[in-house]
Amino acid sequence: MELPNQVKIREVAPRDGFQSWPDFVPTEHKREIIAAAVDSGIQEMETTSFVSPKAIPQMRDAAEVIQTAPRPACLHFALVPNLKGAQLAIEAGVDGLVVVISSSEQHNMANVRRSIKESTADLDEIFNLARKKNRRVTGALAVAFGCPYQGDVPTADVFSLAEAFVSRGADSLILADTTGMATPPRVSRLVQDFRKQFNVDFSLHFHNNRGTAMTNLYAALTAGATVFDTALGGIGGCPNVPLAAGNLPTEDVVYMLEDMGIETGINLLSLIQAAKLLEKRLGQTLPGQVMKSGPRDPGEALKVCHHSL
Ligand code: COA
Ligand code: ZN
């Protein structure tokens, strides 16, 4: 088992977390949290999404958020569900697009109201547009480890969707466990098979609906993954199901990786402070653990956690 020396973190709280928060998070608060995350060393972020404001009203300020996003320390990506989203995102000035399509028909229909075939039919135009404007394109393969409607998703279905992106020149892919159905053996298998089949950068996106997210991350690491999507405080999930379905908390992942000798380039103390600011702004206790217990060093822990340990 060989572990990497370095891991890249993609911070997704501003998209995955704020989209699923029951109340609209004021744009000012979004900016504050984005800036705090970037100050702590985050270099790539899913900063918002360009989606129908009727479907996800929480993201209706996408253009404003992108226009004021802190640069150049961080690359700002936006999730898009279709060509219209790609056009709006590029107009607003994103560094890259995350084009989301589900690996199962039923989930794609529930999420974007189209068949997989209809969604992939947009890809040529999306890629042309992105190339013309010199923007990156990442393909997000939702429900790659299991679908809440269908159950198991055949690897062949995940890989045929991956091929739709890779054959058009995608810069990277995301293997997403959208509703937290993965377990370590499934993760090891999919990551190993994916690496045999595709020579493209990829990240893993784990939700913690069933408590397996951190062990899944470890399984992915040992199978050769080096990029992970995580969210400050562990927020995120399906719209209108807050907390129950959070992402891996960025600060928990950074704590573990750094202690394993794997560099993230992120300052844990300032990340914890960013998570605490997020908690304050959202007005609710968040699932993150390290933001409560603190880092390993007792002196540092006292600086950020004002309780007896
Ligand atoms: N951004 C902003 N507006 C959009 C849009 C986009 N990407 N795509 C469509 N719209 C607008 C249309 O212009 C239309 O507006 P109108 O009613 O003022 O004319 C309206 O939304 C409906 O368009 P339509 O193409 O019929 O879409 P739909 O109602 O079938 O919804 C999606 C499809 C994909 C737009 C919608 O389901 C969606 O935004 N889903 C996002 C899902 C998501 O973010 N999930 C979580 C992350 S994985
Ligand atoms: Zn997610």
Side-chain angles (χ1 to χ4, degrees), residues 15 19 50-56 79 81-82 84-85 88 100 111-113:
R15 194 278 300 171
Q19 84 178 6
F50 287 80
V51 295
S52 160
K54 282 179 203 146
I56 316 267
L79 179 136
N82 55 17
K84 175 162 181 158
L88 293 173
V100 64
N111 196 37
V112 298
R113 299 164 179 268

Side-chain angles (χ1 to χ4, degrees), residues 90-127:
I90 286 176
E91 232 168 77
V94 296
D95 297 303
L97 304 171
V98 173
V99 183
V100 64
I101 305 180
S102 303
S103 315
S104 86
E105 284 294 350
Q106 275 172 287
H107 190 269
N108 204 55
M109 195 53 84
N111 196 37
V112 298
R113 299 164 179 268
R114 292 198 295 181
S115 67
I116 294 174
K117 201 164 169 210
E118 287 171 299
S119 284
T120 51
D122 268 5
L123 288 182
D124 285 331
E125 264 192 272
I126 292 176
F127 273 86

Side-chain angles (χ1 to χ4, degrees), residues 12 15-16 19 176-178 205 207 236-237 247:
V12 300
R15 194 278 300 171
D16 205 330
Q19 84 178 6
D177 187 21
T178 309
H205 180 112
H207 281 266
N247 285 277

